[in-house]
Amino acid sequence: MRLGGGLLVVLAVGAAGAGYWVLAGVVLAAVVAAVVSRLPALGDTPLERYVGAFTRLALVVVQAIVFGAYVVPAQPAYAGAGLVLVVAVADLAGLRLPAALTRWLTVVLIAAAVVLIVLCAVVAPVVTSTPIGTPSPAAVVVSALITLPFLLPVAPDRVSLRALTLGGLAVLVTIVALVQLGPDRLGLSATSIRDLLYAADAGQLQPLLTVVVVLATVPATLTTFTDARERYAPERGWESAAGIVLALAAALFASPYAVLVAAGLGTVVELVLRARNRRYRVAHE
């Protein structure tokens, strides 16, 4: 579910910096996600706990920012912070999403992505004069960095297949978005996916997009927050409270770019720690 909300802002931020080469960044992230998908989970050392919690709180803030920007555009920061607060209260109250509901939501979001791809594929794009330009390695790496956290599978089963599926969807959505809007319009604002519907002659689906955004962000925010608290701060009340305050402040004041880069850097550090754990296990077998 993370990918649904993440793509709504990742493509805009990536295109603003890398232009057409955001596609190379998404492909690179998809390849990396597939390669590292079978690494063991983080351990329980203090460093691993803090890195895991930091990364997931950053993802919570990303989902909250997307929710605010798309659902309550008049007051996006307050709406995003409100979602963080509601999710924190719901988690502490013991609310958990049934596994069956999570699976159905994933199916719905995949179907929504497929519909978007088909709509954009059957409508001729407006001719754009934006040149492809010379690739900037730094911009491509940043695009991959901010995309990677949303392509890593959460569930441990069949992770390679999940990573390939998520990566393929992300690449296809990136292609149709670039073809229909071009990098300039795609990177114009954090909510440029709304423009993508208009470009595909599907402006009447804007209310449906709002529903999809809610389905993509609210459950993902809850499950990610719960994962952060239960796995990396169990029975540590002060750490949970500090995480909530940090997430609220970030939702209110941080830019999407800053939060995405923070999530990406946290993910890279987490992967390094997971690779270290794998080498340790191999060495002791």
Side-chain angles (χ1 to χ4, degrees), residues 185-253:
R185 289 179 64 190
L186 182 59
L188 191 60
S189 72
T191 57
S192 59
I193 297 299
R194 288 201 179 278
D195 297 332
L196 183 58
L197 286 181
Y198 288 116
D201 288 337
Q204 68 275 14
L205 297 181
Q206 291 292 341
L208 183 59
L209 174 62
T210 301
V211 173
V212 170
V213 170
V214 172
L215 294 178
T217 56
V218 176
T221 306
L222 176 59
T223 56
T224 305
F225 183 88
T226 299
D227 184 37
R229 189 182 63 80
E230 290 186 341
R231 291 178 58 190
Y232 304 107
E235 301 179 359
R236 297 178 176 93
W238 71 270
E239 291 184 358
S240 297
I244 294 171
V245 172
L246 179 63
L248 284 172
L252 281 170
F253 303 112

Side-chain angles (χ1 to χ4, degrees), residues 17-152:
Y20 280 110
W21 292 99
V22 64
L23 177 60
V26 174
V27 171
L28 176 60
V31 172
V32 172
V35 170
V36 304
S37 60
R38 291 192 177 275
L39 289 176
L42 287 175
D44 196 38
T45 66
L47 176 60
E48 289 171 303
R49 287 195 299 103
Y50 284 124
V51 170
F54 174 83
T55 303
R56 281 150 187 78
L57 285 177
L59 293 174
V60 165
V61 176
V62 171
Q63 301 289 351
I65 288 175
V66 172
F67 174 85
Y70 277 88
V71 180
V72 192
Q75 296 290 342
Y78 291 112
L83 177 60
V84 172
L85 185 59
V86 168
V87 161
V89 172
D91 169 71
L92 295 175
L95 178 63
R96 300 293 182 269
L97 296 181
L101 176 60
T102 302
R103 287 193 293 268
W104 277 109
L105 285 173
T106 301
V107 171
V108 169
L109 294 176
I110 291 175
V114 172
V115 169
L116 178 64
I117 292 168
V118 171
L119 285 174
C120 292
V122 299
V123 175
V126 176
V127 177
T128 175
S129 59
T130 305
I132 294 179
T134 304
S136 168
V140 172
V141 170
V142 170
S143 298
L145 181 72
I146 64 177
T147 307
L148 181 60
F150 304 97
L151 297 181
L152 293 176

